[in-house]
Each structure stands twice: as structure tokens, then as C-alpha cells.
């Protein structure tokens, strides 16, 4: 089965091509069967591959063909299989299948049903190529593929100009990181002579010592690409606007595909990052600052999907923090558990929106606990896992990251304190969302209830959000061994208790009403701070001032640039000649005959004169 792993990305890719070519003539049942079934078959292939791999759990390469060969450079289409690849493929196809199944009902009234599943299948295929590639060039192909698909899916309802603007923003901002990453690939090939990931892992320690400037520069460029794709500071602003796409698309981007690509890139190239301690420190600090910025912002949002979007940015920050402190396996562990509970939360939010006349404002909801019980329990379990409450999947993975941060020499306690503040805020905004949407007085009555294609995936994801923390990942042979050192019992209990304090505060403010924050919120400084956090710390305003505004001014100036006068003159001359020749067409035969004779006399004169 291992030799046939090429089927895993080929199945959704074939479905995407079929739906692009013939989707318009297929009935909706066949469109859904192709779109959902291809990912389901890919998930079964992953399961079969994992079972075969367990018999001989060693890294292997499955070559297909030589992609290109120029001089000393060659790149093959070949796939690398190890524990990390299996984890990523399982998350992409497993969680992706339930998102596809949910989509079959959520999007069934949309006129572009086949186009939706074609884009969604292509998205999954590109992400699979990314995580299965054994060289950075093929990885980059999948990397750009998910970027294109995100543009198509975020702007899926392109008739609304706001959706097109959100898609363009996602595409342009992530292209910044992609360009930086491309420079990193050029530098790595120049220095190491290859882009094969395993070959680089062997050559880099031979060429570079720890802290070598070239190693630091190369990994910093790779980090630039990771920051863009995984929506970390300073390239995170595209992700909240990406909520313009259909809700299942948001679940796929946030849980199983695009935003995890940057985390995977750093983890896959960890041998290079271990030679660049300054870059690793930058990874940890970027993760810490991002998780705090996003948590404060999520606490002040009103749109249910934007709250979850900022929570994704924050949770990816925890993964970056884990990678930066050397807790590689913990970062991938949190990637997996996050896929479970974030897909659950987005699909539950989609069910709320679907049943409440497409309402997004949480303050226009309320009282849904009894009206949508399946959705309520899904949200409650997903929020508990997001807040890392004990015995949920998020508790096991996030707790490992927080404790690993404390053990980092030097600034470890500061990283630990920042991570705990983020955990407190996460519990606070998560249960603020639960208490406002599902308790209290109903503001909007639902007009439908989810069917089995929406309710089934919610039930399965609820199960994995609870027990996913008990899954043992096959990562021991992929990453360096971690020491047996553990923080003191006091540090451990504090780490466990902080999210519970956040839950208690959320209950006292938003549910029990024993505490009120109105005085603080309505004060002058409270209003300014709330507005500042609500705007995402004004990062978009900063970029508009630094880049977007000057660019628009420049385009207005260049709209009438002098070089255009030459081309405009050519156009005007042709327009004038066209008008003159058109006027000569009078329809009078005598005039035509005279013109023909005059032309023949002129032509004969030229020929005789030349002779």
C-alpha cells in the first residue's frame, strides 16, 4: 500500500478535474458523491497506509517521475512517508471528509454546487501534495496551490464586491510571505546544492555550525513564508477577512489545511532551525505575541465567525511557541487536537448561521440551548477543548506547550506567563460566546434544524474533541528526543487552574451577572481600549497608511504617465485612419472603378520607375 500513496492526492484531484469539466451537467447527488466520496476514499487510503506502515515504521520515499532537470539541479515528483506525514495526511483527509459531508447539506441550495466542490477537492489535493512532498520545490507547488484555492474559495460568492476584496487581500498578503520563502529556497540551493528535505537535513550540519549567519538567514526566510501562510504577526490580517467565504471553507482553512501549512514547514525543516537559535527564538516570540494579540481581539468581536477566526490565529500562535521552544511533537499534537475542536466550532457556528437566517451577530442570537440542542452540545464541547479545560483534547496538547515554554532557559518563565494569560483570555472569550449565544433570551428564532449530513460530522468531531488527547502520535523517530525534566507541581497546577479561572469569570459576567464590566467598558479609556482591540490593534490601518494608501496614490499618478502618450497616439491615429477609410466606402461603383484604375496606374508607375 505504501507504494500506492500517490492515490491519496490523486483521488480528490481527479474529482476536482471531473467537476470542473462536467460538473454543470451532473445531478447534485453525483456532484456530492464525487466531492465527498473522493476525500472519503483518500481517508481510507491513509488508514490503509498507516496500518501497512506500522509493520515497518521507517521513513520511506515513493518516487514517481523526474519533474525537471536543469544543469546540476533536478527535482522529482516523489513523496516522503514518515510519522509526521501520516499525522498530517490523517488530519487533512479525516477532518476534511467530515467538512465535505457537512458541505453537501450546507451548500445544497447554492447555484454553484459543482464549482464549490471542485474548488474544495482541489484545495485538499494541494494540501496533500504539500505535506507529502520529499523536496521543497514540490512542497512549494502545493504551497502555492492552497494559496490559489483559498483565493477561489474566500471569494466564492464573488457577486458581492466585499467578498472579492477579502479574497484579494488573502492572496496578496500571503504572497508576501511566499516571495520571502522563495528567496529562502534559492539561498538553500545555492548553499547546499539541493532542495531535497532529507538531504538538506544531512548536509546542513556538515556545512554550518550552530548560529551560522547563512543558517539564520535561510531559516528566517522560511519563517517568513510560514508566518504568511499560518497568519502570524505581522501577516495575520488576511485571516479574519477570509470569513467572507462559506462557513465550511472557513472550517477547512482553519482546521485541516492552509493555516497549518506554516507550522508543518517549520516542523518538517526542524533540522535547519536547530542550527539557527536566533530564528527559533523569533518563532517562539512571534507565537507568543500573536496569541496574545488575537486573544484580546477575539474578546471584543461581535461576529461569531470572526471570534473563531481570531481564536485560530491565537491557537496557531501556541503551535509556533511550541516549535520555538523545541517542543516539536507538542506543536504537532496541538495541530491535530486543534483540527478536531476548531472544525467542530466552525461547523457548529455554520449550523447556527444556517438556521438563524444567516445571522452573524452574537447579540442577535441567544436562547439556542433548547432550540438547537445538537449545536449547543457541539459548541460546549468545542469551547471546552479550545479553552483547554481538563480532560478535553485541547487540555493535553496545550498543557504540554505551556509547561515546555516554562523549561526554556532564560526567558522561559516569561513565555510561560504570557501563554497562561492567553489561556485565561481564551477561556474567557470562548465561554462569553457560549453564554451569549445559547443562554438568555432568544433574539432570533431558528427556521430549521440541521439534517444528518450536518449533525453527523458534529457528533464525530465532538467525540474526537473529547478523546483526541489520548491519541499517541508516531513522532518519536521524526523529532529529537525531549528530556525528562518537568516543572514543579505548583507550576503544573497553576497551568491547569488558569483556564478554569477564565471560565469562572465568563460565568460571573455573562451568565450569572454577579459581576459587571459595564463601568470599565463605558469609561473613556475603556471605550478607547475596546475600540483598539476590536479593530485588531489597528494593524489594517497601519498597513493602509504604510502601503495601501501610497500605492493607490502612485497608481493615480501613473495613470497618465508620459509613456502612455505614445501608445495613446498610436490608438488615435488608427482610429482616425479607420474613420477616413470608412468614409470612403460610399457604395458608388464609378468611384470604386476610378480608385482602382488610379491605383493600378500608380502601381505600374512605381514598377516602371524601379525598372
Amino acid at each position: 500500500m505504501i507504494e500506492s500513496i500517490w492515490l491519496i492526492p490523486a483521488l480528490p484531484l481527479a474529482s476536482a478535474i471531473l467537476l470542473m469539466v462536467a460538473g454543470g451537467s451532473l445531478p447534485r447527488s453525483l456532484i456530492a458523491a464525487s466531492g465527498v466520496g473522493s476525500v472519503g476514499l483518500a481517508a481510507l487510503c491513509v488508514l490503509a497506509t498507516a496500518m501497512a506502515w506500522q509493520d515497518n515504521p521507517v521513513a520511506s520515499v515513493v518516487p514517481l517521475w523526474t519533474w525537471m532537470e536543469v544543469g546540476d539541479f533536478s527535482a522529482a515528483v516523489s513523496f516522503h512517508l514518515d510519522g509526521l506525514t501520516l499525522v498530517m495526511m490523517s488530519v487533512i483527509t479525516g477532518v476534511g471528509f467530515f467538512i465535505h459531508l457537512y458541505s453537501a447539506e450546507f451548500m445544497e441550495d447554492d447555484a454553484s454546487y459543482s464549482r464549490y466542490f471542485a474548488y474544495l477537492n482541489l484545495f485538499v489535493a494541494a494540501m496533500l501534495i504539500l505535506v507529502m512532498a520529499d523536496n521543497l520545490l514540490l512542497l512549494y507547488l502545493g504551497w502555492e496551490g492552497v494559496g490559489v484555492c483559498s483565493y477561489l474559495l474566500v471569494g466564492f460568492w464573488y457577486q458581492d464586491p466585499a467578498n472579492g476584496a477579502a479574497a484579494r487581500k488573502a492572496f496578496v498578503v500571503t504572497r508576501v510571505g511566499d516571495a520571502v520563502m522563495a528567496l529562502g529556497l534559492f539561498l538553500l540551493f545555492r548553499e547546499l546544492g539541493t532542495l531535497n528535505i532529507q538531504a538538506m537535513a544531512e548536509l546542513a550540519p556538515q556545512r554550518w555550525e550552530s548560529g551560522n549567519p547563512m543558517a539564520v538567514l535561510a531559516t528566517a526566510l522560511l519563517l517568513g513564508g510560514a508566518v504568511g501562510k499560518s497568519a502570524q504577526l505581522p501577516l495575520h490580517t488576511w485571516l479574519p477577512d477570509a470569513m467572507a467565504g462559506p462557513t465550511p471553507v472557513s472550517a477547512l482553512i482553519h482546521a485541516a489545511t492552509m493555516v497549518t501549512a506554516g507550522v508543518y514547514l517549520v516542523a518538517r525543516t526542524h533540522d535547519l532551525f536547530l542550527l539557527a537559535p536566533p530564528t527559533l527564538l523569533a518563532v517562539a516570540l512571534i507565537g507568543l505575541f500573536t496569541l496574545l494579540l488575537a486573544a484580546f481581539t477575539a474578546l471584543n468581536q461581535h461576529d461569531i465567525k470572526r471570534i473563531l477566526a481570531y481564536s485560530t490565529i491565537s491557537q496557531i500562535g501556541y503551535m509556533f511557541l511550541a516549535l520555538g521552544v523545541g517542543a516539536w511533537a507538542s506543536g504537532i499534537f496541538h495541530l491535530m487536537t486543534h483540527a478536531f475542536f476548531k472544525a467542530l466550532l466552525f461547523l457548529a457556528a455554520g449550523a447556527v448561521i444556517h438556521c438563524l437566517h444567516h445571522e452573524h451577530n452574537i447579540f442577535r442570537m441567544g436562547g439556542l440551548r433548547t432550540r438547537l440542542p445538537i449545536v449547543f452540545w457541539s459548541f460546549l464541547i468545542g469551547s471546552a477543548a479550545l479553552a483547554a479545560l481538563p480532560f478535553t483534547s485541547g487540555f493535553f496538547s496545550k498543557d504540554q506547550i505551556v509547561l515546555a515554554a516554562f523549561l526554556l532557559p532564560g526567558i522561559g518563565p516569561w513565555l510561560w506567563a504570557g501563554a497562561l494569560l492567553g489561556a485565561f483570555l481564551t477561556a474567557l472569550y470562548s465561554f462569553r460566546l457560549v453564554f451569549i449565544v445559547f443562554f438568555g433570551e432568544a433574539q432570533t428564532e431558528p427556521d430549521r434544524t440541521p439534517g444528518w449530513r450536518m449533525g453527523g460530522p458534529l457528533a464525530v468531531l465532538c467525540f474526537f474533541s473529547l478523546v483526541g488527547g489520548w491519541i499517541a502520535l508516531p513522532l518519536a523517530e521524526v523529532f529529537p528526543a525531549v528530556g525528562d525534566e518537568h516543572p514543579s507541581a505548583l507550576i503544573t497546577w497553576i497551568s491547569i487552574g488558569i483556564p478554569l479561572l477564565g471560565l469562572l469569570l465568563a460565568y460571573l459576567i455573562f451568565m450569572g451577572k454577579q459581576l459587571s464590566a459595564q463601568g470599565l467598558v463605558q469609561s473613556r479609556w475603556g471605550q478607547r481600549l475596546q475600540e483598539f482591540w476590536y479593530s485588531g490593534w489597528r494593524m489594517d490601518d497601519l498597513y493602509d497608511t504604510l502601503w495601501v494608501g501610497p500605492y493607490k496614490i502612485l497608481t493615480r499618478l501613473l495613470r497618465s504617465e508620459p509613456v502612455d502618450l505614445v501608445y495613446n497616439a498610436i490608438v488615435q491615429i488608427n482610429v482616425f485612419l479607420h474613420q477616413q477609410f470608412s468614409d470612403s466606402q460610399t457604395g458608388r461603383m464609378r468611384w470604386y472603378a476610378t480608385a482602382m484604375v488610379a491605383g493600378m496606374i500608380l502601381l505600374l508607375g512605381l514598377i516602371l520607375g524601379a525598372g
Side-chain angles (χ1 to χ4, degrees):
M1 183 63 206
I2 292 177
E3 291 74 16
S4 302
I5 61 172
W6 58 270
L7 282 171
I8 297 170
L11 286 167
L13 179 60
S15 174
I17 295 173
L18 172 65
L19 293 175
M20 289 177 188
V21 174
S25 60
L26 296 176
R28 287 181 176 255
S29 58
L30 286 181
I31 293 172
S34 175
V36 179
S38 61
V39 180
L41 289 174
L44 291 177
C45 290
V46 172
L47 179 61
T49 301
M51 295 174 65
W53 185 79
Q54 284 182 343
D55 296 334
N56 185 26
V58 295
S60 58
V61 176
V62 180
L64 297 181
W65 66 83
T66 299
W67 180 11
M68 62 179 72
E69 194 167 1
V70 181
D72 296 333
F73 174 74
S74 65
V77 176
S78 58
F79 298 132
H80 178 82
L81 180 65
D82 63 3
L84 177 58
T85 311
L86 278 174
V87 171
M88 295 302 298
M89 289 193 303
S90 301
V91 169
I92 295 165
T93 58
V95 177
F97 167 71
F98 291 111
I99 293 172
H100 276 67
L101 180 60
Y102 178 99
S103 297
E105 179 178 339
F106 187 89
M107 297 293 292
E108 63 182 351
D109 295 331
D110 196 279
S112 300
Y113 200 57
S114 62
R115 179 167 63 91
Y116 172 81
F117 275 107
Y119 291 168
L120 216 60
N121 283 168
L122 187 61
F123 202 174
V124 170
M127 189 66 190
L128 287 168
I129 291 172
L130 189 159
V131 302
M132 295 170 66
D134 84 324
N135 65 82
L136 288 180
L137 189 62
L138 184 60
L139 183 151
Y140 196 71
L141 175 67
W143 189 275
E144 291 302 308
V146 296
V148 171
C149 293
S150 69
Y151 169 78
L152 296 173
L153 287 166
V154 170
F156 181 77
W157 290 315
Y158 58 86
Q159 296 87 350
D160 185 344
N163 295 340
R168 289 193 300 273
K169 182 177 181 180
F171 192 77
V172 171
V173 173
T174 54
R175 289 294 75 71
V176 175
D178 295 355
V180 174
M181 179 180 170
L183 295 176
L185 301 191
F186 298 149
L187 179 61
L188 285 169
F189 178 71
R190 192 193 73 175
E191 293 294 317
L192 301 178
T194 181
L195 290 179
N196 182 277
I197 297 172
Q198 302 309 309
M200 288 192 302
E202 296 175 2
L203 287 172
Q206 301 173 16
R207 302 283 180 87
W208 297 328
E209 296 179 353
S210 179
N212 183 285
M214 283 296 109
V216 173
L217 178 58
T219 51
L221 293 171
L222 292 180
L223 176 60
V227 161
K229 198 67 78 180
S230 288
Q232 297 292 283
L233 277 171
L235 299 178
H236 66 288
T237 56
W238 66 270
L239 191 58
D241 290 356
M243 297 302 96
T247 302
V249 171
S250 302
L252 192 63
I253 290 176
H254 289 246
T257 55
M258 187 168 173
V259 296
T260 62
V263 178
Y264 171 78
L265 175 66
V266 177
R268 175 56 75 191
T269 57
H270 67 275
D271 294 290
L272 301 179
F273 279 83
L274 287 172
L275 297 173
T279 310
L280 272 182
L281 179 60
V283 173
L285 293 177
I286 287 172
L288 179 66
F289 292 140
T290 303
L291 72 89
L292 290 174
L293 178 148
F296 277 109
T297 306
L299 188 59
N300 292 272
Q301 298 299 307
H302 303 155
D303 187 304
I304 188 171
K305 287 178 66 176
R306 288 183 74 87
I307 294 172
L308 297 179
Y310 278 108
S311 80
T312 296
I313 297 173
S314 184
Q315 295 306 303
I316 299 293
Y318 276 103
M319 299 175 206
F320 268 67
L321 176 61
L323 299 176
V325 300
W328 309 99
S330 298
I332 299 301
F333 187 28
H334 194 55
L335 184 153
M336 181 193 70
T337 60
H338 175 261
F340 297 146
F341 62 73
K342 187 51 60 70
L344 174 62
L345 285 169
F346 264 110
L347 297 185
V352 171
I353 295 168
H354 188 66
C355 298
L356 259 64
H357 322 286
H358 302 285
E359 181 60 66
H360 285 238
N361 191 327
I362 62 173
F363 293 107
R364 295 176 184 168
M365 299 177 183
L368 297 180
R369 177 172 56 88
T370 55
R371 293 164 174 80
L372 299 173
I374 295 176
V375 179
F376 164 68
W377 284 107
S378 300
F379 235 105
L380 184 63
I381 292 171
S383 297
L386 173 61
L389 298 188
F391 308 113
T392 62
S393 62
F395 164 76
F396 291 101
S397 56
K398 188 184 287 186
D399 197 53
Q400 288 184 9
I401 295 172
V402 173
L403 297 179
F406 182 84
L407 295 174
L408 187 71
I411 64 170
W414 292 102
L415 297 177
W416 172 76
L420 284 187
L421 175 58
F424 174 80
L425 294 172
T426 301
L428 183 59
Y429 71 69
S430 298
F431 283 92
R432 165 184 180 259
L433 180 59
V434 171
F435 294 142
I436 291 175
V437 171
F438 293 98
F439 292 86
E441 184 179 351
Q443 304 295 321
T444 305
E445 289 292 337
D447 61 352
R448 67 184 79 181
T449 57
W452 71 268
R453 288 174 296 177
M454 293 175 66
L458 291 177
V460 174
L461 290 170
C462 280
F463 173 78
F464 282 105
S465 295
L466 288 173
V467 306
W470 299 96
I471 298 176
L473 302 185
L475 300 175
E477 302 300 324
V478 179
F479 300 119
V482 180
D484 296 331
E485 184 182 0
H486 296 283
S488 65
L490 176 61
I491 296 298
T492 302
W493 283 109
I494 291 175
S495 302
I496 295 173
I498 289 296
L500 296 174
L501 288 178
L503 167 59
L504 176 62
L505 183 60
Y507 177 84
L508 294 176
I509 295 176
F510 302 107
M511 182 66 182
K513 308 295 184 182
Q514 289 90 344
L515 295 179
S516 175
Q518 290 301 314
L520 178 62
V521 171
Q522 293 177 358
S523 65
R524 185 180 66 172
W525 286 105
Q527 290 178 348
R528 290 181 178 180
L529 197 57
Q530 186 179 33
E531 181 184 354
F532 178 67
W533 286 338
Y534 179 81
S535 68
W537 299 53
R538 298 201 180 279
M539 294 296 292
D540 280 316
D541 294 341
L542 176 64
Y543 291 151
D544 286 344
T545 302
L546 293 178
W547 305 107
V548 179
Y551 177 78
K552 288 182 177 179
I553 293 173
L554 184 62
T555 55
R556 285 195 294 268
L557 292 175
L558 295 180
R559 184 175 298 173
S560 58
E561 60 181 329
V563 71
D564 284 340
L565 297 176
V566 177
Y567 299 104
N568 291 337
I570 295 173
V571 173
Q572 294 301 321
I573 290 172
N574 280 279
V575 170
F576 173 77
L577 292 176
H578 170 76
Q579 185 64 44
Q580 297 303 313
F581 288 132
S582 297
D583 292 343
S584 69
Q585 304 300 307
T586 61
R588 297 177 181 178
M589 295 300 296
R590 292 180 180 179
W591 168 251
Y592 292 162
T594 303
M596 290 175 61
V597 171
M600 291 178 63
I601 293 172
L602 179 61
L603 180 62
L604 288 172
L606 291 174
I607 293 173
L608 294 174

